[in-house]
Amino acid sequence: MTGVPVIQTDGYPHSVTSATTGSTQGLDLSVDRSSPVPLYYQLARQLESAIEHGALGPGSLLGNEIELAGRLGLSRPTVRQAIQSLVDKGLLVRRRGVGTQVVHSQVKRPLELSSLYDDLEAAGQRPTTRVLLSEVRTASAEVAAALGITEGAEVHLFERLRLTHGQPVAFLSNYVPAGLLDLGTERLESTGLYRMMRNAGITLHSAHQTVGARNANADEAERLGEPEGAALLTMQRTAYDDTGRAVEYGSHIYRASRYSFDFQLLVRN
Amino acid sequence: MTGVPVIQTDGYPHSVTSATTGSTQGLDLSVDRSSPVPLYYQLARQLESAIEHGALGPGSLLGNEIELAGRLGLSRPTVRQAIQSLVDKGLLVRRRGVGTQVVHSQVKRPLELSSLYDDLEAAGQRPTTRVLLSEVRTASAEVAAALGITEGAEVHLFERLRLTHGQPVAFLSNYVPAGLLDLGTERLESTGLYRMMRNAGITLHSAHQTVGARNANADEAERLGEPEGAALLTMQRTAYDDTGRAVEYGSHIYRASRYSFDFQLLVRN
DNA sequence: CAGGTCTTTATGTCAGTACAAAGTCTTGAC
DNA sequence: GTCAAGACTTTGTACTGACATAAAGACCTG
């Protein structure tokens, strides 16, 4: 990060560099006005990466907003917007009369609607998927209720087995209203469901989850390679897109011996 | 802009009422400039309660920001700030060229750092607590690592049994750095731990959770009134306050037959 | 020396304006 | 009749300016 020159194409690049560390002073912050990326977002990303890379250590002050704005050639509201987005993410804390400082705790990521696939991939587990079943059925009462459709309507059901290192981790049963997207088996094996939805123009918005546990019956035990009666982690999830329409219902079973949910959450004040 | 005259003097509430429903038009929105409560917050609260009470049904447009601002005698940024806070909560969705509408799905609450006590109480379960143990100990390696303190430092450990309708639901082991707050047994029975912390001036900020499952051993089975080998839901949580200091580590065990985690989560875009 | 008070500093709130960009809808041409 | 261009609506981004308020420290005073 040190001596890297900031190449600027057009607009008026404001680059700020200094030797002081532990503060925003020692950072090479700059914005590119010719870019279509919003200025507040450019700044937010730079601050975020500075925090991640340790250039801005925990507890270090960010420097007051007015000065920061001046140094970057931005207005205060723009700087505030950038900072606010990081405060919302839990990376920064504002204190009136004191300043804005980097939070001490190692907040990684708040809980997201991440797919199991992405989770495992991020953990370097190299997940693979085996599609066991993929067909159109009529919705049962349970599925219809979860998806908010009428019982008997057509849904696409697919069952998948997720593995890492050749070992089963989870058995996933997913239901998608028919016609919402075309689910090719080959693509389901190579990527996650949510990624496919995003590519199909569906923007996920929220989800309702229930996490519980139960003992494995003979069927489940065999599929997952666990002894009968072993504790299983269960999760049911209904996902909604931004129009409020339910786009997916999943009923998942995880081997508790090989998987657990791990997440960070923020308190809203 | 309709024919509604906006009377603007100073320090007086602006009230807007109309007969149209399904929109913000039929709402009695007003702000009180003499109140110390921020204007954007007043507006946000009113909109939120209107949504909750059904006055603003799912899908209904909010009306454009400029007009809304004019009707209330506020500036557009202020109105935007109010709306934005509800968008962040997942109650509203903005669409360029269309407007802002109430989200369809019944988003209840995103996942919060709620205590089990509050959860059960909200569900009308009338929880009771039996404090089994409450003493100061030296931190084990596991606890020290979770709390970020040195091994052997003093921590206050207390074990509680949570019951509803006389039936055990969970066994809770909690560790709090010694001297952080005084944990009276009687208060621990009548209220939750997080409520006590808030009252002691500690503002919670974030937490790291791990949820898993395992089979009950003989000890756990007896305590919770389950057969040996029954599936249990486990949760470990470390909570941090806004200075980044770990203030609590809890290792909890739930009867999977009587409890499951149930929550809503949002996708950040 | 202890206490409260004033000053400083930083964020918090709010107004008003301007232009950009993305959808929607209408209009017009073919 | 269909499709595309353009107008229009609405949110998105950004700036300037102003005052309020909380926290911290310096200062003065009893």
Side-chain angles (χ1 to χ4, degrees), chain B residues 46 66 75 77 80 106 123-125 128 162-163 166 187 207 217 224 250 254 261-262 265 267:
Chain B
Q46 288 180 41
I66 316 247
S75 72
R80 266 184 78 77
Q106 61 302 354
Q125 297 271 8
T128 58
R162 192 79 90 200
L163 312 97
R187 276 197 295 171
N217 64 30
L224 290 172
Y254 303 86
F261 294 106
D262 204 80
L265 52 86
V267 181

mmCIF file of all heavy atoms in Angstrom, chain B residues 46 66 75 77 80 106 123-125 128 162-163 166 187 207 217 224 250 254 261-262 265 267:
data_model
loop_
_atom_site.group_PDB
_atom_site.id
_atom_site.type_symbol
_atom_site.label_atom_id
_atom_site.label_comp_id
_atom_site.label_asym_id
_atom_site.label_seq_id
_atom_site.Cartn_x
_atom_site.Cartn_y
_atom_site.Cartn_z
ATOM 1 N N GLN B 46 -43.766 6.569 12.746
ATOM 2 C CA GLN B 46 -45.164 6.623 12.321
ATOM 3 C C GLN B 46 -45.407 5.734 11.119
ATOM 4 O O GLN B 46 -46.427 5.031 11.049
ATOM 5 C CB GLN B 46 -45.556 8.064 12.003
ATOM 6 C CG GLN B 46 -45.690 8.925 13.252
ATOM 7 C CD GLN B 46 -46.079 10.357 12.911
ATOM 8 O OE1 GLN B 46 -46.905 10.597 12.055
ATOM 9 N NE2 GLN B 46 -45.456 11.293 13.599
ATOM 10 N N ILE B 66 -40.658 13.874 -2.718
ATOM 11 C CA ILE B 66 -40.779 15.330 -2.780
ATOM 12 C C ILE B 66 -42.133 15.792 -2.245
ATOM 13 O O ILE B 66 -42.220 16.693 -1.413
ATOM 14 C CB ILE B 66 -40.640 15.809 -4.230
ATOM 15 C CG1 ILE B 66 -39.479 15.096 -4.917
ATOM 16 C CG2 ILE B 66 -40.535 17.319 -4.290
ATOM 17 C CD1 ILE B 66 -38.325 15.929 -5.274
ATOM 18 N N SER B 75 -37.845 18.693 4.679
ATOM 19 C CA SER B 75 -37.039 18.672 3.464
ATOM 20 C C SER B 75 -36.918 17.234 2.973
ATOM 21 O O SER B 75 -37.125 16.280 3.707
ATOM 22 C CB SER B 75 -35.645 19.229 3.743
ATOM 23 O OG SER B 75 -34.900 18.314 4.499
ATOM 24 N N PRO B 77 -34.240 15.399 2.136
ATOM 25 C CA PRO B 77 -33.263 14.557 2.834
ATOM 26 C C PRO B 77 -33.800 13.966 4.138
ATOM 27 O O PRO B 77 -33.515 12.820 4.469
ATOM 28 C CB PRO B 77 -32.103 15.510 3.096
ATOM 29 C CG PRO B 77 -32.185 16.492 1.986
ATOM 30 C CD PRO B 77 -33.654 16.677 1.720
ATOM 31 N N ARG B 80 -36.135 11.234 3.264
ATOM 32 C CA ARG B 80 -35.327 10.116 2.761
ATOM 33 C C ARG B 80 -34.673 9.342 3.889
ATOM 34 O O ARG B 80 -34.605 8.118 3.856
ATOM 35 C CB ARG B 80 -34.241 10.639 1.819
ATOM 36 C CG ARG B 80 -34.628 10.629 0.366
ATOM 37 C CD ARG B 80 -33.478 11.054 -0.524
ATOM 38 N NE ARG B 80 -32.499 9.995 -0.722
ATOM 39 C CZ ARG B 80 -32.666 8.966 -1.541
ATOM 40 N NH1 ARG B 80 -33.791 8.827 -2.187
ATOM 41 N NH2 ARG B 80 -31.738 8.052 -1.675
ATOM 42 N N GLN B 106 -44.255 -11.012 5.040
ATOM 43 C CA GLN B 106 -44.457 -10.648 6.431
ATOM 44 C C GLN B 106 -43.135 -10.736 7.174
ATOM 45 O O GLN B 106 -42.879 -11.668 7.904
ATOM 46 C CB GLN B 106 -45.532 -11.532 7.062
ATOM 47 C CG GLN B 106 -45.250 -13.021 7.103
ATOM 48 C CD GLN B 106 -45.013 -13.603 5.706
ATOM 49 O OE1 GLN B 106 -45.159 -12.933 4.689
ATOM 50 N NE2 GLN B 106 -44.596 -14.850 5.651
ATOM 51 N N ALA B 123 -43.272 -14.954 23.089
ATOM 52 C CA ALA B 123 -44.124 -16.002 22.561
ATOM 53 C C ALA B 123 -45.224 -16.378 23.551
ATOM 54 O O ALA B 123 -45.969 -17.319 23.338
ATOM 55 C CB ALA B 123 -43.284 -17.236 22.216
ATOM 56 N N GLY B 124 -45.275 -15.640 24.635
ATOM 57 C CA GLY B 124 -46.332 -15.886 25.606
ATOM 58 C C GLY B 124 -46.126 -17.160 26.403
ATOM 59 O O GLY B 124 -47.078 -17.779 26.875
ATOM 60 N N GLN B 125 -44.875 -17.547 26.580
ATOM 61 C CA GLN B 125 -44.601 -18.833 27.224
ATOM 62 C C GLN B 125 -44.380 -18.710 28.730
ATOM 63 O O GLN B 125 -44.207 -19.723 29.395
ATOM 64 C CB GLN B 125 -43.355 -19.471 26.599
ATOM 65 C CG GLN B 125 -43.500 -19.789 25.141
ATOM 66 C CD GLN B 125 -44.072 -21.174 24.905
ATOM 67 O OE1 GLN B 125 -44.500 -21.841 25.836
ATOM 68 N NE2 GLN B 125 -44.112 -21.603 23.662
ATOM 69 N N THR B 128 -39.689 -19.342 33.242
ATOM 70 C CA THR B 128 -39.132 -19.202 34.581
ATOM 71 C C THR B 128 -37.695 -19.689 34.534
ATOM 72 O O THR B 128 -37.307 -20.426 33.644
ATOM 73 C CB THR B 128 -39.916 -20.035 35.610
ATOM 74 O OG1 THR B 128 -39.904 -21.407 35.194
ATOM 75 C CG2 THR B 128 -41.347 -19.563 35.722
ATOM 76 N N ARG B 162 -33.813 -23.171 32.210
ATOM 77 C CA ARG B 162 -34.953 -22.365 31.770
ATOM 78 C C ARG B 162 -36.135 -23.295 31.551
ATOM 79 O O ARG B 162 -36.011 -24.318 30.883
ATOM 80 C CB ARG B 162 -34.595 -21.673 30.452
ATOM 81 C CG ARG B 162 -35.575 -20.614 30.049
ATOM 82 C CD ARG B 162 -35.358 -19.315 30.796
ATOM 83 N NE ARG B 162 -34.431 -18.426 30.115
ATOM 84 C CZ ARG B 162 -33.789 -17.428 30.711
ATOM 85 N NH1 ARG B 162 -33.957 -17.219 31.996
ATOM 86 N NH2 ARG B 162 -32.975 -16.663 30.041
ATOM 87 N N LEU B 163 -37.274 -22.893 32.098
ATOM 88 C CA LEU B 163 -38.459 -23.740 31.982
ATOM 89 C C LEU B 163 -39.654 -22.969 31.465
ATOM 90 O O LEU B 163 -39.772 -21.763 31.688
ATOM 91 C CB LEU B 163 -38.847 -24.339 33.349
ATOM 92 C CG LEU B 163 -37.761 -24.988 34.191
ATOM 93 C CD1 LEU B 163 -37.230 -23.996 35.221
ATOM 94 C CD2 LEU B 163 -38.302 -26.222 34.907
ATOM 95 N N GLY B 166 -43.381 -25.410 33.581
ATOM 96 C CA GLY B 166 -42.797 -26.403 34.462
ATOM 97 C C GLY B 166 -41.897 -27.412 33.790
ATOM 98 O O GLY B 166 -41.310 -28.268 34.438
ATOM 99 N N ARG B 187 -32.251 -11.640 40.895
ATOM 100 C CA ARG B 187 -32.534 -10.892 39.665
ATOM 101 C C ARG B 187 -32.337 -11.763 38.430
ATOM 102 O O ARG B 187 -33.024 -11.626 37.433
ATOM 103 C CB ARG B 187 -31.638 -9.649 39.588
ATOM 104 C CG ARG B 187 -32.228 -8.473 40.374
ATOM 105 C CD ARG B 187 -31.576 -7.189 39.964
ATOM 106 N NE ARG B 187 -30.150 -7.191 40.319
ATOM 107 C CZ ARG B 187 -29.303 -6.262 39.922
ATOM 108 N NH1 ARG B 187 -29.721 -5.273 39.156
ATOM 109 N NH2 ARG B 187 -28.049 -6.316 40.282
ATOM 110 N N ALA B 207 -22.238 -10.114 18.294
ATOM 111 C CA ALA B 207 -22.011 -11.411 18.909
ATOM 112 C C ALA B 207 -21.611 -12.416 17.850
ATOM 113 O O ALA B 207 -21.936 -12.271 16.674
ATOM 114 C CB ALA B 207 -23.252 -11.885 19.641
ATOM 115 N N ASN B 217 -25.729 -36.786 26.471
ATOM 116 C CA ASN B 217 -25.117 -37.784 27.348
ATOM 117 C C ASN B 217 -26.020 -37.976 28.571
ATOM 118 O O ASN B 217 -27.032 -37.290 28.716
ATOM 119 C CB ASN B 217 -23.694 -37.373 27.739
ATOM 120 C CG ASN B 217 -23.665 -36.085 28.557
ATOM 121 O OD1 ASN B 217 -24.596 -35.780 29.291
ATOM 122 N ND2 ASN B 217 -22.588 -35.324 28.404
ATOM 123 N N LEU B 224 -32.384 -32.338 31.524
ATOM 124 C CA LEU B 224 -33.417 -31.773 30.656
ATOM 125 C C LEU B 224 -34.647 -32.660 30.532
ATOM 126 O O LEU B 224 -35.625 -32.301 29.874
ATOM 127 C CB LEU B 224 -32.836 -31.516 29.251
ATOM 128 C CG LEU B 224 -31.823 -30.373 29.166
ATOM 129 C CD1 LEU B 224 -31.184 -30.327 27.800
ATOM 130 C CD2 LEU B 224 -32.508 -29.035 29.471
ATOM 131 N N GLY B 250 -21.489 -17.736 26.425
ATOM 132 C CA GLY B 250 -22.510 -18.674 26.862
ATOM 133 C C GLY B 250 -22.437 -19.963 26.071
ATOM 134 O O GLY B 250 -22.181 -19.957 24.869
ATOM 135 N N TYR B 254 -30.234 -26.887 24.250
ATOM 136 C CA TYR B 254 -31.694 -26.818 24.165
ATOM 137 C C TYR B 254 -32.283 -28.193 23.879
ATOM 138 O O TYR B 254 -31.686 -29.002 23.147
ATOM 139 C CB TYR B 254 -32.112 -25.871 23.032
ATOM 140 C CG TYR B 254 -31.570 -24.475 23.169
ATOM 141 C CD1 TYR B 254 -30.310 -24.158 22.685
ATOM 142 C CD2 TYR B 254 -32.317 -23.489 23.808
ATOM 143 C CE1 TYR B 254 -29.801 -22.882 22.816
ATOM 144 C CE2 TYR B 254 -31.809 -22.209 23.940
ATOM 145 C CZ TYR B 254 -30.544 -21.911 23.439
ATOM 146 O OH TYR B 254 -30.040 -20.654 23.577
ATOM 147 N N PHE B 261 -34.603 -22.599 16.847
ATOM 148 C CA PHE B 261 -34.346 -21.192 16.539
ATOM 149 C C PHE B 261 -35.169 -20.787 15.340
ATOM 150 O O PHE B 261 -35.252 -21.509 14.353
ATOM 151 C CB PHE B 261 -32.858 -20.977 16.227
ATOM 152 C CG PHE B 261 -31.977 -21.211 17.393
ATOM 153 C CD1 PHE B 261 -31.199 -22.348 17.476
ATOM 154 C CD2 PHE B 261 -31.938 -20.303 18.436
ATOM 155 C CE1 PHE B 261 -30.380 -22.576 18.569
ATOM 156 C CE2 PHE B 261 -31.132 -20.518 19.525
ATOM 157 C CZ PHE B 261 -30.355 -21.657 19.592
ATOM 158 N N ASP B 262 -35.717 -19.635 15.442
ATOM 159 C CA ASP B 262 -36.660 -19.177 14.439
ATOM 160 C C ASP B 262 -36.338 -17.725 14.158
ATOM 161 O O ASP B 262 -36.428 -16.890 15.044
ATOM 162 C CB ASP B 262 -38.067 -19.293 15.040
ATOM 163 C CG ASP B 262 -39.110 -19.418 13.978
ATOM 164 O OD1 ASP B 262 -39.279 -20.528 13.463
ATOM 165 O OD2 ASP B 262 -39.740 -18.396 13.649
ATOM 166 N N LEU B 265 -34.064 -13.165 8.233
ATOM 167 C CA LEU B 265 -32.843 -12.425 7.925
ATOM 168 C C LEU B 265 -32.931 -11.722 6.589
ATOM 169 O O LEU B 265 -33.692 -12.107 5.708
ATOM 170 C CB LEU B 265 -31.612 -13.312 8.020
ATOM 171 C CG LEU B 265 -31.543 -14.626 7.278
ATOM 172 C CD1 LEU B 265 -31.035 -14.366 5.879
ATOM 173 C CD2 LEU B 265 -30.586 -15.537 7.994
ATOM 174 N N VAL B 267 -31.159 -9.751 3.205
ATOM 175 C CA VAL B 267 -30.029 -9.753 2.304
ATOM 176 C C VAL B 267 -29.587 -8.316 2.115
ATOM 177 O O VAL B 267 -30.406 -7.451 1.834
ATOM 178 C CB VAL B 267 -30.425 -10.338 0.943
ATOM 179 C CG1 VAL B 267 -29.225 -10.365 0.021
ATOM 180 C CG2 VAL B 267 -30.999 -11.713 1.128
#
